[in-house]
Amino acid sequence: MLRLCVDFRKLNRKTIADCYSYKLYWTTLVATPGSPYSTKAVHTTKALWRKLLTSHSHQHILGAMLQFRKGQIFYPQTHTDMASSSSVLSEEQFLCSICLDVFTEPVSIPCGHNFCKACIRTYWDSNDLCQCPMCKKTFDKRPDLFINTFISEMFAQFKKCIQVEDNSSPDECSSILIEVFCDICTETKLKALKSCLVCLTSYCETHLEPHQRVAALKKHKLIDPVENLEDRMCKKHDRLLELFCRTDQMCLCVFCLTSDHMTHKTVPLEEEYVEKMSRLKKTEAEVQQRIQERLQNVHEIKHSVELRRKDAERQISDSVEVFTALVRSIERSQAELLEVIEEKQRAAERQAEGLIKELEQEVTELKRRCSDLEKLSHTEDHLHLLQSFTSLCTPPPTKDWSEISVPSDLCVQGTVRRAVSQLEETVVREVTRLCDAELKRLHQYEVDVTLDPDTAQPYLVLSDNGKQVRCGDIEQNVPDNPERFDYAVNVLGKEGFTSGRFYYEVMVKGKTEWDLGVARESVNRKGEITVSPEDGYWSVWLRNGDEYEALADTSVPLSLRQKPQKVGVFVDYEEGLVSFYDVEARSHIYSFTGSIFTEKLYPYFSPGLNDDGKNFAPLIISPVNHTDSVSIQVTQKE
């Protein structure tokens, strides 16, 4: 059998609509995957609240809602859950926040907080203002205090449940039964069919018969069966609660109206019931809408995570491919270089061997001549000496070895340089290919940037569509508003950004001087300015036609392979990244990384001074060409 327990949570709710919204909150909680509460509990909760909403007992629903305004949320439990009820309902939830002890004669004040009757009286007596000790809400008139029988009965039931839990099984734990039984039945109690607000008695079908037959009893007001019918009687006047005071948000009898609430706005319970029911349904619809919105947010976040995961996998694959190609290119260049060096060494060795062989032949011939000369020097035959002298004393034909040598230095520096140059070309091609792919991805973050004329320095001339700016020769008559640069020839974009990513492109063709980047909203706009991240600017510039610099805290000279004609600017607010690209060369110029953005960022432009017409060309914000890409083929020698 399902039973109904109450969770006293400190939820400062002041209206019936809020109480109802917490019913939906709990229903969502138990429906969450992994929740310890069963699906059956969810359906039972919905059924209980549906029954409450469709109840014809206005006093029943209003009384319950007013008592539960403090955030006392109903939820069903089975007997198997009751063993852990102490974790849901504890003595701490019945403590007065003034004396920090269990409630003694608990009372509720108009703001919805509960205290001991004596405690709140003592508190008000000791203070000049009549206010709530918890929320500090001030009351013009000290409210009347009535015992909150609901809290008293719940604490009694709680103590009874704790005692039963200590001595019996969970199935025997006593809780507040949803079923209401007939008050007339003496032996077997039958389930009540109706409760009479006049007799203050609940009747089963058999004992209800007189109310359907006797004319006098037919006039009695019957409602769906409820417990504690005496709670529907005014404790002060012992009269039926038939009215509702909207000023004090409490139920009244007719005597309460004439005594304490004459100047208050009061309505019949039925009218307030309709109004509260309307608010309940409206709140339910709003909560359901919030649920759907958050479920949609969950779906979008999961989808973003999945897309990010796929993108990470793709980038890992691309990175592995790129570095694998570079490693292979390096290994191939190294093998080719080693082959060239080894071939040169072999050629040098062959040359040396030929020279050595030739020298050895000459040495052999010279040794033979030396032997003949020695023999001739010992002869005493005058004729033989004279006849042989000429042939033996004439030097044999030999090579002039003074000009012939084998270099000890292999001299392969040129070969190594050419190999490294080839490797550099390969790396440049890979980098260009990567930049091309990177720029294509950045196109999805394109934003429509328009120049803000209210920030433009007076000498700047903007086009009618706000897409072009150049420096003129005549100062224009424009108001000196706080947003305008009055000295530096700068202008900002109209739209600022506080999150996400954005990308735009600017044509700089034909210019000898320009600044591009982003600036935070609070930058100094009057007098001379310093362009650096510390001063709120993330920018690169061109000076003197060919001098490029990134304006970091310490300026960084940039060596570009060619002069950019169109510059792309990309910002990732959360990552603190500002990057610049040469769009036509498909190359990266510079990136500011690790920045911490806390303000709105605006696109920043400076066309530079006119310089006697040398720098007359305008900066042009141009749309991104999504088909503008360069097909790069990385050739590799097999």
Side-chain angles (χ1 to χ4, degrees):
M1 180 183 297
L2 291 176
R3 297 174 180 267
L4 188 65
C5 288
V6 181
D7 181 3
F8 289 89
R9 301 184 181 178
K10 297 178 180 178
L11 304 172
N12 185 18
R13 292 293 180 264
K14 300 180 181 178
T15 63
I16 294 174
D18 288 335
C19 292
Y20 188 77
S21 70
Y22 268 85
K23 179 271 295 188
L24 295 176
Y25 165 77
W26 186 89
T27 303
T28 305
L29 173 66
V30 298
T32 304
S35 170
Y37 302 102
S38 64
T39 304
K40 188 175 182 180
V42 179
H43 295 318
T44 305
T45 300
K46 292 181 177 178
L48 290 171
W49 282 85
R50 191 180 302 114
K51 182 177 180 181
L52 181 61
L53 289 175
T54 56
S55 172
H56 295 292
S57 171
H58 310 142
Q59 188 176 7
H60 179 203
I61 184 172
L62 290 174
M65 284 301 183
L66 287 171
Q67 288 176 330
F68 307 154
R69 187 175 59 194
K70 273 289 296 165
Q72 301 147 352
I73 303 171
F74 283 92
Y75 67 91
Q77 287 184 314
T78 62
H79 287 306
T80 57
D81 293 329
M82 290 302 294
S84 61
S85 64
S86 60
S87 65
V88 177
L89 202 61
S90 67
E91 186 171 308
E92 293 178 357
Q93 294 165 326
F94 296 91
L95 297 182
C96 171
S97 59
I98 297 178
C99 65
L100 301 180
D101 201 352
V102 176
F103 284 123
T104 302
E105 294 186 316
V107 295
S108 298
I109 61 177
C111 64
H113 292 111
N114 304 309
F115 308 92
C116 297
K117 188 174 184 179
C119 291
I120 190 62
R121 278 182 174 175
T122 303
Y123 177 84
W124 283 341
D125 290 340
S126 61
N127 289 274
D128 295 333
L129 293 176
C130 181
Q131 63 180 4
C132 173
M134 296 291 290
C135 65
K136 304 302 180 184
K137 180 176 180 180
T138 303
F139 309 109
D140 297 331
K141 176 183 176 183
R142 179 178 291 197
D144 294 327
L145 299 178
F146 302 99
I147 303 299
N148 191 323
T149 56
F150 177 76
I151 296 179
S152 299
E153 292 172 2
M154 280 309 306
F155 183 61
Q157 291 289 344
F158 169 74
K159 289 193 295 184
K160 193 181 301 182
C161 183
I162 295 298
Q163 293 171 357
V164 173
E165 282 185 344
D166 292 340
N167 302 303
S168 62
S169 65
D171 287 343
E172 296 172 347
C173 179
S174 176
S175 185
I176 304 175
L177 293 176
I178 295 176
E179 291 84 356
V180 178
F181 296 99
C182 178
D183 294 327
I184 308 301
C185 293
T186 56
E187 296 181 358
T188 302
K189 290 283 187 179
L190 299 179
K191 186 176 180 181
L193 183 63
K194 291 289 182 180
S195 294
C196 178
L197 294 179
V198 178
C199 303
L200 296 180
T201 305
S202 297
Y203 300 101
C204 63
E205 184 176 4
T206 300
H207 293 113
L208 183 64
E209 188 270 338
H211 279 75
Q212 298 172 336
R213 175 174 49 83
V214 179
L217 295 179
K218 283 184 178 181
K219 298 179 181 180
H220 289 192
K221 189 169 185 178
L222 301 177
I223 63 173
D224 289 336
V226 295
E227 288 187 318
N228 302 323
L229 285 169
E230 61 273 12
D231 290 342
R232 300 175 179 277
M233 302 298 292
C234 176
K235 304 301 181 183
K236 185 175 180 180
H237 303 107
D238 197 27
R239 294 284 182 173
L240 184 66
L241 297 173
E242 300 177 289
L243 303 172
F244 184 81
C245 176
R246 289 181 174 175
T247 304
D248 292 338
Q249 289 290 299
M250 59 186 298
C251 295
L252 311 174
C253 70
V254 291
F255 285 175
C256 292
L257 175 63
T258 58
S259 60
D260 299 324
H261 300 267
M262 283 295 293
T263 60
H264 294 182
K265 185 176 182 180
T266 57
V267 294
L269 287 181
E270 290 81 358
E271 181 178 338
E272 186 66 15
Y273 169 87
V274 172
E275 194 274 337
K276 287 292 192 295
M277 182 65 69
S278 174
R279 289 173 59 184
L280 283 175
K281 292 180 179 179
K282 181 179 179 181
T283 301
E284 180 181 18
E286 291 174 353
V287 172
Q288 289 291 356
Q289 181 178 357
R290 292 194 192 102
I291 292 173
Q292 293 304 318
E293 290 173 353
R294 280 148 183 77
L295 290 176
Q296 180 63 26
N297 291 338
V298 170
H299 174 73
E300 292 174 356
I301 292 173
K302 289 182 177 179
H303 182 63
S304 297
V305 170
E306 180 64 19
L307 292 179
R308 191 182 184 96
R309 183 186 63 79
K310 292 181 179 179
D311 185 65
E313 292 176 352
R314 180 182 55 77
Q315 293 197 31
I316 290 173
S317 176
D318 292 345
S319 300
V320 170
E321 180 182 351
V322 168
F323 282 99
T324 300
L326 289 176
V327 169
R328 287 176 180 172
S329 178
I330 292 172
E331 291 175 345
R332 183 172 59 253
S333 298
Q334 181 185 32
E336 292 174 354
L337 176 61
L338 293 178
E339 178 64 27
V340 170
I341 294 174
E342 290 172 356
E343 178 58 34
K344 286 191 175 185
Q345 178 62 23
R346 288 192 294 269
E349 290 176 355
R350 288 194 298 270
Q351 179 188 13
E353 289 175 359
L355 294 175
I356 290 172
K357 184 176 182 180
E358 190 175 349
L359 285 170
E360 288 175 346
Q361 290 176 351
E362 290 189 4
V363 169
T364 301
E365 179 63 26
L366 289 174
K367 285 182 177 180
R368 186 183 61 77
R369 177 67 63 88
C370 184
S371 176
D372 291 343
L373 289 173
E374 184 179 1
K375 290 179 182 179
L376 185 59
S377 65
H378 293 90
T379 184
E380 294 180 354
D381 186 347
H382 304 134
L383 179 62
H384 177 65
L385 176 64
L386 295 173
Q387 291 177 340
S388 302
F389 180 81
T390 303
S391 59
L392 291 176
C393 289
T394 303
T398 57
K399 183 181 294 186
D400 184 6
W401 292 95
S402 62
E403 300 295 332
I404 299 175
S405 64
V406 177
S408 59
D409 186 1
L410 189 59
C411 193
V412 295
Q413 286 82 358
T415 305
V416 175
R417 184 179 64 254
R418 286 192 294 275
V420 173
S421 296
Q422 291 176 358
L423 181 61
E424 181 182 8
E425 292 175 1
T426 301
V427 172
V428 169
R429 286 197 299 271
E430 285 295 332
V431 170
T432 304
R433 185 175 70 85
L434 290 175
C435 283
D436 180 67
E438 185 175 345
L439 280 170
K440 288 179 181 178
R441 287 196 297 271
L442 297 184
H443 287 174
Q444 64 182 304
Y445 304 112
E446 178 190 5
V447 293
D448 184 15
V449 176
T450 303
L451 301 173
D452 184 359
D454 291 335
T455 65
Q457 199 265 358
Y459 276 92
L460 295 183
V461 180
L462 277 60
S463 62
D464 292 339
N465 63 358
K467 299 296 183 181
Q468 300 184 26
V469 58
R470 63 178 177 83
C471 184
D473 297 322
I474 301 174
E475 182 177 8
Q476 302 180 75
N477 184 18
V478 292
D480 185 19
N481 50 6
E483 296 82 11
R484 190 179 305 282
F485 291 91
D486 64 353
Y487 183 78
V489 286
N490 299 340
V491 62
L492 301 180
K494 276 187 177 181
E495 298 296 329
F497 303 88
T498 56
S499 64
R501 302 168 178 174
F502 60 94
Y503 173 80
Y504 60 94
E505 294 180 352
V506 183
M507 183 73 71
V508 296
K509 185 177 181 180
K511 296 194 66 61
T512 60
E513 182 178 327
W514 50 257
D515 295 29
L516 290 176
V518 293
R520 63 183 178 219
E521 187 174 22
S522 64
V523 292
N524 177 33
R525 310 186 187 196
K526 305 301 180 182
E528 293 187 11
I529 63 173
T530 302
V531 179
S532 71
E534 184 178 357
D535 297 289
Y537 295 88
W538 290 263
S539 173
V540 297
W541 74 12
L542 166 67
R543 293 294 184 270
N544 301 322
D546 58 359
E547 297 175 6
Y548 296 92
E549 286 186 8
L551 303 179
D553 293 330
T554 300
S555 295
V556 180
L558 302 175
S559 178
L560 306 183
R561 300 174 68 88
Q562 62 187 58
K563 187 174 182 178
Q565 303 298 306
K566 182 187 290 187
V567 176
V569 182
F570 171 71
V571 176
D572 188 329
Y573 194 97
E574 283 72 21
E575 291 294 328
L577 173 69
V578 182
S579 296
F580 300 86
Y581 298 87
D582 183 338
V583 176
E584 294 186 355
R586 317 303 284 180
S587 62
H588 173 256
I589 296 176
Y590 186 80
S591 286
F592 294 90
T593 60
S595 302
I596 299 177
F597 301 132
T598 58
E599 298 181 26
K600 186 176 290 188
L601 296 180
Y602 289 87
Y604 159 70
F605 309 85
S606 175
L609 298 175
N610 193 3
D611 194 16
D612 296 328
K614 297 178 183 178
N615 192 38
F616 183 78
L619 290 176
I620 304 174
I621 302 171
S622 57
V624 174
N625 186 355
H626 295 274
T627 61
D628 183 19
S629 62
V630 178
S631 177
I632 303 172
Q633 301 293 331
V634 180
T635 58
Q636 298 181 354
K637 297 181 179 179
E638 299 295 337

